[in-house]
Amino acid sequence: MPSADHELGPQNLGSPSATVRREPSDRSPEHAEPSRFVPHVQGLRAIAVLLVVLYHFWPGRLSGGYVGVDVFFVISGYLITGHLMRELTATGSVRLAQFWARRARRLLPASLLVLMFCAIVAGSAYLMPTSALPNEVREIIASTFYVENWYLAFNSADYLNHAGNPTTVQHYWSLSLEEQFYVLWPLIMLLAAWVAVKWFKGRRRTAVIVGLGAVSVASFIFCVAFTITNPAPAYFVTFGRMWEFGIGAMIALVPALRVRNPVASFVLGWAGIVALLYTAFTFDAQTPFPGYAAALPALGAAAVIAASNTERWWYPTRILSIRPAQFTGNISYSLYLWHWPLIIIAPSVPFWGLTIYHRVALLAICFILAWLTKRFVEDPARSWKVLTSRRARVTLWSSLAAMVLVAGTAGAAWAINAPAYREGVQAIEQLRADPPACFGGAVVLDPSCAGTDFGTTVLPAPGFAGADRPTDEQCFVQLNDSRPVSCEFGSSDPNAPRIALVGDSHAYQLLSTFQRMADANGWHLTTYFKGACPWNTTPLSTAGAFGDACTDWRNGVTAAMKDAPLDAVFTAAISSTPYSSAGYDSSHAAAVAGYRDAWNEVLDRGIPVITVVDNPAWETDPNKCLRTRDAADCTGARTDLLTEDDPLRDAATGVDGVTLLDFTDVFCDDTTCFPVVGGANLYRDQDHLTVSFVDTLAPQYTAAIKAALAAQKP
């Protein structure tokens, strides 16, 4: 995000020296070991956080900025492994409770502060749409207890494509993964040390290197394989990322990997920076990630760390040590924490927007908040004597209490707003059952409604439009699921006209309306839906398992429809689907040919096809604007929101047996597209329509299907 966003906690920026001062076993002092500050690693941290932040502010300009998180993982592995190894070498063990207590004091105060802020925002109907509240609360709680990465993995969130509306805390997935690293890594090292003492003559360092190396190799193999088979959850799964920590760990554990030779250090350091910039500007949402592709930014970060010579000012180690880089590295943790919630919330703030000026101002605000948090929260908490002068368990129990408080605040936000949520659901049900006269598309499409003025009416309310969606989610397959799942609705009469509705999420958004049409007209409706996979024979440009699953799903649907007694097929698709050029002059030409090939499977049997030009797609959910501004202030330029060459329109034009519906004039005039038409709130997110609005197009859908059915009769 993807986003995304991604940083990890500000690990111990210094590296404790090999001389370890023993502390009483019942104390957990903050500075149990002196530290060695590594300036160029701090500068590398600045690069990493800027990649992530700029990617989230301007994803189109820095399409691969998400690799910043991989840089942070490598830095974490380097710093924390060195810290643990020095303690293990000096004392023969690692005081786990004290280690975890120090991590808690370093990371939790700022983290929980931002989570508390997000919980309070979630409870405010003014800043957060009520329809988003349930998922917001769930993710705040998951983030509070550092399992957000697993929550997203189990829910198959597509971070890089920003599927749906991300929450204010989605970026906590990486912090969750790092906290899990803090738990697992010292345990692995202690196990390796125990094995060394028992069987390998006490050679702890060798055993740790072998142990962590084995874990890292296994993790990389798992990462590559899992990215191929399950790319969406692979982005978040802990074991698929451990190898990146392992790369940093090897630099800390193997002195030979730290390059002091001036020429080699110069070349290695700049090569690492070039690798990071290359991935930031060339990787994008279509790059299979993490997988083997993540090796390039991870190794680039490792190269910068390993380049240790600082003799000349033009060496990367010196460039990364300049004051601006050090300042940004110092505030990187808080900057990462704050930037994403502010990006999500900003469009809902009155008199704010997403112009270049607003974005630059918001970026400056993020830096200011990050500095304030570093100065007044992070730094004081690290040396708070009420905790550092007591046993480690005092810090740990206090941390748990603070986490419970944040989670409780999120729960209270839900409790306060639950009645409004239920009222919103009921209002949508009432609107669908009894819409106003001349509502929505009827204002444009029904001549008798011309001139009807709904004033400032917006239904459903902008704060609840996100809930106005089809409910039969079992009919919609996603990600790597290639099963041609079908659902049956409408008449059970064997003589009823049989209609198929096929396509991606832009076909699925029509489902509730088509169910009502089938019931009203005595049709039998069969559906086939797969996310981001239109009914087309041209392969997607998306590599790996997702593209393969789409191809398999299409083949399964074609086979299922070949044996089905259909009378008409309706299909819809998002216009921006990334297609392979597949031997054609362009991906557009290949997509047009692919639609026609797919349709010919039924056209050759005399079954008509009805399709529709895609609706406009917005940069961000227009409801964020509608909640604080008049609809007239939330419009968008037609040239920005409509795909210039919709391949589905071009495929349907001039083909016998294919009916093309085009509602562009409902959404837009000659220059401008609208989020509200005839009092109807058109969108539930940035590109999917509300069911309430789609219902207002039912007369046109019905007429087109009836005409196609009538044309079949002798």
Side-chain angles (χ1 to χ4, degrees), residues 129-134 165 421 424-426 428-429 432 460-471 473 512 621 623 683-685 689-692:
T130 307
S131 60
L133 185 59
N165 285 316
Y421 185 88
V425 171
Q426 294 170 358
I428 289 175
E429 292 174 350
R432 292 184 191 175
F464 220 82
D468 194 4
R469 61 178 67 223
T471 56
E473 296 180 359
S512 296
D621 185 353
N623 286 286
Y683 297 92
R684 57 179 167 88
D685 57 31
L689 302 173
T690 61
V691 172
S692 298

PDB file of all heavy atoms in Angstrom, residues 129-134 165 421 424-426 428-429 432 460-471 473 512 621 623 683-685 689-692:
ATOM      1  N   PRO A 129     -16.575   7.321   8.058  1.00  0.00           N
ATOM      2  CA  PRO A 129     -17.905   6.824   7.670  1.00  0.00           C
ATOM      3  C   PRO A 129     -18.349   5.691   8.577  1.00  0.00           C
ATOM      4  O   PRO A 129     -17.569   4.788   8.898  1.00  0.00           O
ATOM      5  CB  PRO A 129     -17.694   6.343   6.227  1.00  0.00           C
ATOM      6  CG  PRO A 129     -16.227   6.137   6.089  1.00  0.00           C
ATOM      7  CD  PRO A 129     -15.582   7.132   7.001  1.00  0.00           C
ATOM      8  N   THR A 130     -19.599   5.750   8.989  1.00  0.00           N
ATOM      9  CA  THR A 130     -20.116   4.741   9.915  1.00  0.00           C
ATOM     10  C   THR A 130     -20.035   3.350   9.319  1.00  0.00           C
ATOM     11  O   THR A 130     -19.808   2.366  10.035  1.00  0.00           O
ATOM     12  CB  THR A 130     -21.577   5.076  10.279  1.00  0.00           C
ATOM     13  OG1 THR A 130     -21.632   6.427  10.750  1.00  0.00           O
ATOM     14  CG2 THR A 130     -22.090   4.162  11.370  1.00  0.00           C
ATOM     15  N   SER A 131     -20.194   3.258   8.014  1.00  0.00           N
ATOM     16  CA  SER A 131     -20.158   1.936   7.374  1.00  0.00           C
ATOM     17  C   SER A 131     -18.792   1.275   7.504  1.00  0.00           C
ATOM     18  O   SER A 131     -18.676   0.054   7.433  1.00  0.00           O
ATOM     19  CB  SER A 131     -20.530   2.059   5.893  1.00  0.00           C
ATOM     20  OG  SER A 131     -19.618   2.916   5.218  1.00  0.00           O
ATOM     21  N   ALA A 132     -17.727   2.085   7.693  1.00  0.00           N
ATOM     22  CA  ALA A 132     -16.376   1.537   7.812  1.00  0.00           C
ATOM     23  C   ALA A 132     -16.025   1.140   9.235  1.00  0.00           C
ATOM     24  O   ALA A 132     -14.989   0.520   9.467  1.00  0.00           O
ATOM     25  CB  ALA A 132     -15.359   2.560   7.306  1.00  0.00           C
ATOM     26  N   LEU A 133     -16.882   1.490  10.192  1.00  0.00           N
ATOM     27  CA  LEU A 133     -16.537   1.326  11.602  1.00  0.00           C
ATOM     28  C   LEU A 133     -16.245  -0.116  12.016  1.00  0.00           C
ATOM     29  O   LEU A 133     -15.252  -0.357  12.710  1.00  0.00           O
ATOM     30  CB  LEU A 133     -17.643   1.916  12.474  1.00  0.00           C
ATOM     31  CG  LEU A 133     -17.380   1.922  13.978  1.00  0.00           C
ATOM     32  CD1 LEU A 133     -16.122   2.718  14.308  1.00  0.00           C
ATOM     33  CD2 LEU A 133     -18.575   2.505  14.726  1.00  0.00           C
ATOM     34  N   PRO A 134     -17.053  -1.107  11.644  1.00  0.00           N
ATOM     35  CA  PRO A 134     -16.757  -2.474  12.109  1.00  0.00           C
ATOM     36  C   PRO A 134     -15.359  -2.947  11.744  1.00  0.00           C
ATOM     37  O   PRO A 134     -14.623  -3.466  12.594  1.00  0.00           O
ATOM     38  CB  PRO A 134     -17.845  -3.320  11.443  1.00  0.00           C
ATOM     39  CG  PRO A 134     -18.971  -2.371  11.202  1.00  0.00           C
ATOM     40  CD  PRO A 134     -18.317  -1.067  10.870  1.00  0.00           C
ATOM     41  N   ASN A 165     -11.587  -0.096   0.719  1.00  0.00           N
ATOM     42  CA  ASN A 165     -11.146   1.111   1.414  1.00  0.00           C
ATOM     43  C   ASN A 165     -10.259   0.714   2.583  1.00  0.00           C
ATOM     44  O   ASN A 165     -10.730   0.124   3.550  1.00  0.00           O
ATOM     45  CB  ASN A 165     -12.353   1.898   1.907  1.00  0.00           C
ATOM     46  CG  ASN A 165     -13.046   2.623   0.770  1.00  0.00           C
ATOM     47  OD1 ASN A 165     -12.396   3.224  -0.081  1.00  0.00           O
ATOM     48  ND2 ASN A 165     -14.355   2.566   0.746  1.00  0.00           N
ATOM     49  N   TYR A 421     -25.203   2.576  13.185  1.00  0.00           N
ATOM     50  CA  TYR A 421     -24.899   1.585  12.146  1.00  0.00           C
ATOM     51  C   TYR A 421     -26.156   0.799  11.779  1.00  0.00           C
ATOM     52  O   TYR A 421     -26.472   0.615  10.595  1.00  0.00           O
ATOM     53  CB  TYR A 421     -23.801   0.648  12.643  1.00  0.00           C
ATOM     54  CG  TYR A 421     -23.330  -0.344  11.606  1.00  0.00           C
ATOM     55  CD1 TYR A 421     -22.313  -0.016  10.725  1.00  0.00           C
ATOM     56  CD2 TYR A 421     -23.914  -1.611  11.509  1.00  0.00           C
ATOM     57  CE1 TYR A 421     -21.876  -0.917   9.764  1.00  0.00           C
ATOM     58  CE2 TYR A 421     -23.485  -2.524  10.558  1.00  0.00           C
ATOM     59  CZ  TYR A 421     -22.470  -2.175   9.689  1.00  0.00           C
ATOM     60  OH  TYR A 421     -22.058  -3.067   8.741  1.00  0.00           O
ATOM     61  N   GLY A 424     -28.474   2.884   9.813  1.00  0.00           N
ATOM     62  CA  GLY A 424     -28.008   3.034   8.437  1.00  0.00           C
ATOM     63  C   GLY A 424     -28.374   1.844   7.580  1.00  0.00           C
ATOM     64  O   GLY A 424     -28.785   2.000   6.418  1.00  0.00           O
ATOM     65  N   VAL A 425     -28.230   0.637   8.137  1.00  0.00           N
ATOM     66  CA  VAL A 425     -28.616  -0.571   7.406  1.00  0.00           C
ATOM     67  C   VAL A 425     -30.105  -0.546   7.086  1.00  0.00           C
ATOM     68  O   VAL A 425     -30.523  -0.851   5.959  1.00  0.00           O
ATOM     69  CB  VAL A 425     -28.251  -1.826   8.220  1.00  0.00           C
ATOM     70  CG1 VAL A 425     -28.845  -3.072   7.576  1.00  0.00           C
ATOM     71  CG2 VAL A 425     -26.740  -1.963   8.351  1.00  0.00           C
ATOM     72  N   GLN A 426     -30.899  -0.172   8.059  1.00  0.00           N
ATOM     73  CA  GLN A 426     -32.345  -0.110   7.843  1.00  0.00           C
ATOM     74  C   GLN A 426     -32.714   0.959   6.816  1.00  0.00           C
ATOM     75  O   GLN A 426     -33.615   0.757   5.997  1.00  0.00           O
ATOM     76  CB  GLN A 426     -33.047   0.170   9.177  1.00  0.00           C
ATOM     77  CG  GLN A 426     -32.915  -0.971  10.184  1.00  0.00           C
ATOM     78  CD  GLN A 426     -33.405  -0.584  11.573  1.00  0.00           C
ATOM     79  OE1 GLN A 426     -33.812   0.558  11.809  1.00  0.00           O
ATOM     80  NE2 GLN A 426     -33.349  -1.530  12.506  1.00  0.00           N
ATOM     81  N   ILE A 428     -30.927   1.929   4.261  1.00  0.00           N
ATOM     82  CA  ILE A 428     -30.614   1.414   2.925  1.00  0.00           C
ATOM     83  C   ILE A 428     -31.680   0.427   2.468  1.00  0.00           C
ATOM     84  O   ILE A 428     -32.127   0.451   1.311  1.00  0.00           O
ATOM     85  CB  ILE A 428     -29.217   0.767   2.923  1.00  0.00           C
ATOM     86  CG1 ILE A 428     -28.137   1.844   3.038  1.00  0.00           C
ATOM     87  CG2 ILE A 428     -29.000  -0.065   1.659  1.00  0.00           C
ATOM     88  CD1 ILE A 428     -26.740   1.303   3.160  1.00  0.00           C
ATOM     89  N   GLU A 429     -32.101  -0.449   3.361  1.00  0.00           N
ATOM     90  CA  GLU A 429     -33.147  -1.408   3.006  1.00  0.00           C
ATOM     91  C   GLU A 429     -34.432  -0.681   2.614  1.00  0.00           C
ATOM     92  O   GLU A 429     -35.096  -1.060   1.638  1.00  0.00           O
ATOM     93  CB  GLU A 429     -33.400  -2.344   4.187  1.00  0.00           C
ATOM     94  CG  GLU A 429     -32.234  -3.278   4.489  1.00  0.00           C
ATOM     95  CD  GLU A 429     -32.445  -4.085   5.754  1.00  0.00           C
ATOM     96  OE1 GLU A 429     -33.414  -3.775   6.488  1.00  0.00           O
ATOM     97  OE2 GLU A 429     -31.643  -5.004   6.023  1.00  0.00           O
ATOM     98  N   ARG A 432     -34.009   0.963  -0.891  1.00  0.00           N
ATOM     99  CA  ARG A 432     -34.131  -0.006  -1.989  1.00  0.00           C
ATOM    100  C   ARG A 432     -35.579  -0.428  -2.194  1.00  0.00           C
ATOM    101  O   ARG A 432     -36.023  -0.603  -3.337  1.00  0.00           O
ATOM    102  CB  ARG A 432     -33.280  -1.241  -1.677  1.00  0.00           C
ATOM    103  CG  ARG A 432     -31.781  -1.003  -1.678  1.00  0.00           C
ATOM    104  CD  ARG A 432     -31.071  -2.330  -1.462  1.00  0.00           C
ATOM    105  NE  ARG A 432     -29.656  -2.181  -1.187  1.00  0.00           N
ATOM    106  CZ  ARG A 432     -28.851  -3.191  -0.872  1.00  0.00           C
ATOM    107  NH1 ARG A 432     -29.344  -4.417  -0.785  1.00  0.00           N
ATOM    108  NH2 ARG A 432     -27.562  -2.980  -0.650  1.00  0.00           N
ATOM    109  N   PRO A 460     -27.874   6.679  -0.623  1.00  0.00           N
ATOM    110  CA  PRO A 460     -27.720   6.654   0.828  1.00  0.00           C
ATOM    111  C   PRO A 460     -26.748   7.728   1.310  1.00  0.00           C
ATOM    112  O   PRO A 460     -25.975   8.270   0.530  1.00  0.00           O
ATOM    113  CB  PRO A 460     -27.177   5.249   1.098  1.00  0.00           C
ATOM    114  CG  PRO A 460     -26.468   4.876  -0.164  1.00  0.00           C
ATOM    115  CD  PRO A 460     -27.266   5.498  -1.273  1.00  0.00           C
ATOM    116  N   ALA A 461     -26.785   8.003   2.595  1.00  0.00           N
ATOM    117  CA  ALA A 461     -25.944   9.041   3.174  1.00  0.00           C
ATOM    118  C   ALA A 461     -24.473   8.719   2.927  1.00  0.00           C
ATOM    119  O   ALA A 461     -24.064   7.558   2.963  1.00  0.00           O
ATOM    120  CB  ALA A 461     -26.216   9.147   4.670  1.00  0.00           C
ATOM    121  N   PRO A 462     -23.658   9.735   2.647  1.00  0.00           N
ATOM    122  CA  PRO A 462     -22.235   9.488   2.358  1.00  0.00           C
ATOM    123  C   PRO A 462     -21.511   8.690   3.436  1.00  0.00           C
ATOM    124  O   PRO A 462     -20.587   7.944   3.131  1.00  0.00           O
ATOM    125  CB  PRO A 462     -21.667  10.909   2.233  1.00  0.00           C
ATOM    126  CG  PRO A 462     -22.819  11.736   1.801  1.00  0.00           C
ATOM    127  CD  PRO A 462     -24.012  11.158   2.492  1.00  0.00           C
ATOM    128  N   GLY A 463     -21.945   8.833   4.681  1.00  0.00           N
ATOM    129  CA  GLY A 463     -21.293   8.071   5.740  1.00  0.00           C
ATOM    130  C   GLY A 463     -21.664   6.607   5.764  1.00  0.00           C
ATOM    131  O   GLY A 463     -21.079   5.828   6.524  1.00  0.00           O
ATOM    132  N   PHE A 464     -22.634   6.227   4.926  1.00  0.00           N
ATOM    133  CA  PHE A 464     -23.064   4.831   4.959  1.00  0.00           C
ATOM    134  C   PHE A 464     -23.137   4.184   3.584  1.00  0.00           C
ATOM    135  O   PHE A 464     -23.589   3.052   3.447  1.00  0.00           O
ATOM    136  CB  PHE A 464     -24.424   4.713   5.654  1.00  0.00           C
ATOM    137  CG  PHE A 464     -24.505   3.505   6.533  1.00  0.00           C
ATOM    138  CD1 PHE A 464     -23.977   3.528   7.814  1.00  0.00           C
ATOM    139  CD2 PHE A 464     -25.053   2.334   6.067  1.00  0.00           C
ATOM    140  CE1 PHE A 464     -24.013   2.404   8.606  1.00  0.00           C
ATOM    141  CE2 PHE A 464     -25.099   1.197   6.859  1.00  0.00           C
ATOM    142  CZ  PHE A 464     -24.575   1.232   8.139  1.00  0.00           C
ATOM    143  N   ALA A 465     -22.683   4.890   2.566  1.00  0.00           N
ATOM    144  CA  ALA A 465     -22.752   4.331   1.215  1.00  0.00           C
ATOM    145  C   ALA A 465     -21.923   3.063   1.081  1.00  0.00           C
ATOM    146  O   ALA A 465     -22.243   2.179   0.279  1.00  0.00           O
ATOM    147  CB  ALA A 465     -22.281   5.372   0.205  1.00  0.00           C
ATOM    148  N   GLY A 466     -20.852   2.954   1.873  1.00  0.00           N
ATOM    149  CA  GLY A 466     -20.002   1.766   1.775  1.00  0.00           C
ATOM    150  C   GLY A 466     -20.707   0.477   2.093  1.00  0.00           C
ATOM    151  O   GLY A 466     -20.251  -0.607   1.694  1.00  0.00           O
ATOM    152  N   ALA A 467     -21.833   0.555   2.805  1.00  0.00           N
ATOM    153  CA  ALA A 467     -22.586  -0.656   3.147  1.00  0.00           C
ATOM    154  C   ALA A 467     -23.624  -1.017   2.098  1.00  0.00           C
ATOM    155  O   ALA A 467     -24.257  -2.072   2.200  1.00  0.00           O
ATOM    156  CB  ALA A 467     -23.279  -0.463   4.493  1.00  0.00           C
ATOM    157  N   ASP A 468     -23.793  -0.178   1.088  1.00  0.00           N
ATOM    158  CA  ASP A 468     -24.832  -0.405   0.074  1.00  0.00           C
ATOM    159  C   ASP A 468     -24.259  -1.262  -1.046  1.00  0.00           C
ATOM    160  O   ASP A 468     -23.989  -0.799  -2.149  1.00  0.00           O
ATOM    161  CB  ASP A 468     -25.333   0.937  -0.459  1.00  0.00           C
ATOM    162  CG  ASP A 468     -26.631   0.804  -1.242  1.00  0.00           C
ATOM    163  OD1 ASP A 468     -27.172  -0.318  -1.308  1.00  0.00           O
ATOM    164  OD2 ASP A 468     -27.092   1.817  -1.793  1.00  0.00           O
ATOM    165  N   ARG A 469     -24.097  -2.534  -0.763  1.00  0.00           N
ATOM    166  CA  ARG A 469     -23.432  -3.461  -1.680  1.00  0.00           C
ATOM    167  C   ARG A 469     -24.187  -4.777  -1.720  1.00  0.00           C
ATOM    168  O   ARG A 469     -24.988  -5.081  -0.833  1.00  0.00           O
ATOM    169  CB  ARG A 469     -22.003  -3.715  -1.220  1.00  0.00           C
ATOM    170  CG  ARG A 469     -21.901  -4.357   0.177  1.00  0.00           C
ATOM    171  CD  ARG A 469     -20.458  -4.636   0.575  1.00  0.00           C
ATOM    172  NE  ARG A 469     -19.711  -3.412   0.762  1.00  0.00           N
ATOM    173  CZ  ARG A 469     -18.472  -3.231   0.314  1.00  0.00           C
ATOM    174  NH1 ARG A 469     -17.866  -4.216  -0.340  1.00  0.00           N
ATOM    175  NH2 ARG A 469     -17.846  -2.099   0.518  1.00  0.00           N
ATOM    176  N   PRO A 470     -23.947  -5.604  -2.738  1.00  0.00           N
ATOM    177  CA  PRO A 470     -24.564  -6.937  -2.752  1.00  0.00           C
ATOM    178  C   PRO A 470     -24.122  -7.741  -1.533  1.00  0.00           C
ATOM    179  O   PRO A 470     -23.006  -7.572  -1.016  1.00  0.00           O
ATOM    180  CB  PRO A 470     -24.044  -7.553  -4.049  1.00  0.00           C
ATOM    181  CG  PRO A 470     -23.674  -6.391  -4.904  1.00  0.00           C
ATOM    182  CD  PRO A 470     -23.175  -5.344  -3.963  1.00  0.00           C
ATOM    183  N   THR A 471     -24.976  -8.602  -1.083  1.00  0.00           N
ATOM    184  CA  THR A 471     -24.695  -9.364   0.140  1.00  0.00           C
ATOM    185  C   THR A 471     -24.345 -10.822  -0.116  1.00  0.00           C
ATOM    186  O   THR A 471     -23.905 -11.508   0.797  1.00  0.00           O
ATOM    187  CB  THR A 471     -25.907  -9.312   1.085  1.00  0.00           C
ATOM    188  OG1 THR A 471     -27.065  -9.797   0.389  1.00  0.00           O
ATOM    189  CG2 THR A 471     -26.158  -7.883   1.549  1.00  0.00           C
ATOM    190  N   GLU A 473     -21.981 -12.766  -0.934  1.00  0.00           N
ATOM    191  CA  GLU A 473     -20.540 -12.851  -1.159  1.00  0.00           C
ATOM    192  C   GLU A 473     -20.087 -14.265  -1.504  1.00  0.00           C
ATOM    193  O   GLU A 473     -19.003 -14.446  -2.065  1.00  0.00           O
ATOM    194  CB  GLU A 473     -19.802 -12.343   0.074  1.00  0.00           C
ATOM    195  CG  GLU A 473     -20.053 -10.867   0.355  1.00  0.00           C
ATOM    196  CD  GLU A 473     -19.321 -10.360   1.581  1.00  0.00           C
ATOM    197  OE1 GLU A 473     -18.631 -11.186   2.225  1.00  0.00           O
ATOM    198  OE2 GLU A 473     -19.440  -9.163   1.889  1.00  0.00           O
ATOM    199  N   SER A 512     -27.568  -7.607  -6.963  1.00  0.00           N
ATOM    200  CA  SER A 512     -28.825  -7.391  -6.238  1.00  0.00           C
ATOM    201  C   SER A 512     -29.915  -6.874  -7.161  1.00  0.00           C
ATOM    202  O   SER A 512     -31.081  -7.284  -7.071  1.00  0.00           O
ATOM    203  CB  SER A 512     -28.596  -6.403  -5.082  1.00  0.00           C
ATOM    204  OG  SER A 512     -27.705  -6.939  -4.136  1.00  0.00           O
ATOM    205  N   ASP A 621     -12.450   7.479  -2.830  1.00  0.00           N
ATOM    206  CA  ASP A 621     -13.892   7.372  -2.624  1.00  0.00           C
ATOM    207  C   ASP A 621     -14.526   8.761  -2.543  1.00  0.00           C
ATOM    208  O   ASP A 621     -14.208   9.548  -1.647  1.00  0.00           O
ATOM    209  CB  ASP A 621     -14.136   6.602  -1.321  1.00  0.00           C
ATOM    210  CG  ASP A 621     -15.615   6.336  -1.063  1.00  0.00           C
ATOM    211  OD1 ASP A 621     -16.470   6.852  -1.803  1.00  0.00           O
ATOM    212  OD2 ASP A 621     -15.909   5.604  -0.098  1.00  0.00           O
ATOM    213  N   ASN A 623     -17.238   9.653  -1.458  1.00  0.00           N
ATOM    214  CA  ASN A 623     -17.984   9.864  -0.216  1.00  0.00           C
ATOM    215  C   ASN A 623     -17.163  10.630   0.817  1.00  0.00           C
ATOM    216  O   ASN A 623     -17.719  11.305   1.688  1.00  0.00           O
ATOM    217  CB  ASN A 623     -18.426   8.523   0.369  1.00  0.00           C
ATOM    218  CG  ASN A 623     -19.566   7.923  -0.425  1.00  0.00           C
ATOM    219  OD1 ASN A 623     -20.700   8.375  -0.335  1.00  0.00           O
ATOM    220  ND2 ASN A 623     -19.263   6.911  -1.216  1.00  0.00           N
ATOM    221  N   TYR A 683     -21.658   6.026  -5.654  1.00  0.00           N
ATOM    222  CA  TYR A 683     -20.516   5.150  -5.374  1.00  0.00           C
ATOM    223  C   TYR A 683     -20.467   4.702  -3.919  1.00  0.00           C
ATOM    224  O   TYR A 683     -20.758   5.465  -3.010  1.00  0.00           O
ATOM    225  CB  TYR A 683     -19.207   5.872  -5.719  1.00  0.00           C
ATOM    226  CG  TYR A 683     -19.094   6.209  -7.180  1.00  0.00           C
ATOM    227  CD1 TYR A 683     -19.528   7.442  -7.655  1.00  0.00           C
ATOM    228  CD2 TYR A 683     -18.593   5.290  -8.088  1.00  0.00           C
ATOM    229  CE1 TYR A 683     -19.452   7.753  -9.007  1.00  0.00           C
ATOM    230  CE2 TYR A 683     -18.510   5.586  -9.437  1.00  0.00           C
ATOM    231  CZ  TYR A 683     -18.942   6.818  -9.895  1.00  0.00           C
ATOM    232  OH  TYR A 683     -18.875   7.114 -11.231  1.00  0.00           O
ATOM    233  N   ARG A 684     -20.063   3.444  -3.737  1.00  0.00           N
ATOM    234  CA  ARG A 684     -19.793   2.940  -2.388  1.00  0.00           C
ATOM    235  C   ARG A 684     -18.300   2.923  -2.091  1.00  0.00           C
ATOM    236  O   ARG A 684     -17.887   2.734  -0.954  1.00  0.00           O
ATOM    237  CB  ARG A 684     -20.385   1.550  -2.189  1.00  0.00           C
ATOM    238  CG  ARG A 684     -19.933   0.483  -3.170  1.00  0.00           C
ATOM    239  CD  ARG A 684     -20.599  -0.852  -2.829  1.00  0.00           C
ATOM    240  NE  ARG A 684     -20.481  -1.859  -3.865  1.00  0.00           N
ATOM    241  CZ  ARG A 684     -19.478  -2.707  -3.994  1.00  0.00           C
ATOM    242  NH1 ARG A 684     -18.467  -2.654  -3.138  1.00  0.00           N
ATOM    243  NH2 ARG A 684     -19.468  -3.605  -4.948  1.00  0.00           N
ATOM    244  N   ASP A 685     -17.474   3.063  -3.101  1.00  0.00           N
ATOM    245  CA  ASP A 685     -16.039   3.287  -2.943  1.00  0.00           C
ATOM    246  C   ASP A 685     -15.568   4.016  -4.186  1.00  0.00           C
ATOM    247  O   ASP A 685     -16.375   4.629  -4.886  1.00  0.00           O
ATOM    248  CB  ASP A 685     -15.273   1.979  -2.683  1.00  0.00           C
ATOM    249  CG  ASP A 685     -15.479   0.928  -3.768  1.00  0.00           C
ATOM    250  OD1 ASP A 685     -15.688   1.311  -4.937  1.00  0.00           O
ATOM    251  OD2 ASP A 685     -15.421  -0.270  -3.457  1.00  0.00           O
ATOM    252  N   LEU A 689     -20.387   0.880  -7.729  1.00  0.00           N
ATOM    253  CA  LEU A 689     -21.651   1.595  -7.594  1.00  0.00           C
ATOM    254  C   LEU A 689     -22.460   1.070  -6.414  1.00  0.00           C
ATOM    255  O   LEU A 689     -22.370  -0.114  -6.063  1.00  0.00           O
ATOM    256  CB  LEU A 689     -22.475   1.441  -8.874  1.00  0.00           C
ATOM    257  CG  LEU A 689     -21.803   1.926 -10.162  1.00  0.00           C
ATOM    258  CD1 LEU A 689     -22.665   1.563 -11.374  1.00  0.00           C
ATOM    259  CD2 LEU A 689     -21.544   3.419 -10.117  1.00  0.00           C
ATOM    260  N   THR A 690     -23.256   1.947  -5.831  1.00  0.00           N
ATOM    261  CA  THR A 690     -24.191   1.509  -4.798  1.00  0.00           C
ATOM    262  C   THR A 690     -25.328   0.715  -5.441  1.00  0.00           C
ATOM    263  O   THR A 690     -25.718   0.973  -6.586  1.00  0.00           O
ATOM    264  CB  THR A 690     -24.789   2.707  -4.049  1.00  0.00           C
ATOM    265  OG1 THR A 690     -25.504   3.533  -4.977  1.00  0.00           O
ATOM    266  CG2 THR A 690     -23.715   3.526  -3.361  1.00  0.00           C
ATOM    267  N   VAL A 691     -25.862  -0.228  -4.705  1.00  0.00           N
ATOM    268  CA  VAL A 691     -27.003  -0.997  -5.195  1.00  0.00           C
ATOM    269  C   VAL A 691     -28.202  -0.074  -5.416  1.00  0.00           C
ATOM    270  O   VAL A 691     -28.953  -0.224  -6.389  1.00  0.00           O
ATOM    271  CB  VAL A 691     -27.361  -2.130  -4.213  1.00  0.00           C
ATOM    272  CG1 VAL A 691     -28.669  -2.811  -4.622  1.00  0.00           C
ATOM    273  CG2 VAL A 691     -26.231  -3.149  -4.140  1.00  0.00           C
ATOM    274  N   SER A 692     -28.367   0.902  -4.526  1.00  0.00           N
ATOM    275  CA  SER A 692     -29.504   1.819  -4.655  1.00  0.00           C
ATOM    276  C   SER A 692     -29.475   2.548  -5.990  1.00  0.00           C
ATOM    277  O   SER A 692     -30.524   2.756  -6.617  1.00  0.00           O
ATOM    278  CB  SER A 692     -29.492   2.838  -3.516  1.00  0.00           C
ATOM    279  OG  SER A 692     -29.617   2.200  -2.268  1.00  0.00           O
TER     280      SER A 692
END
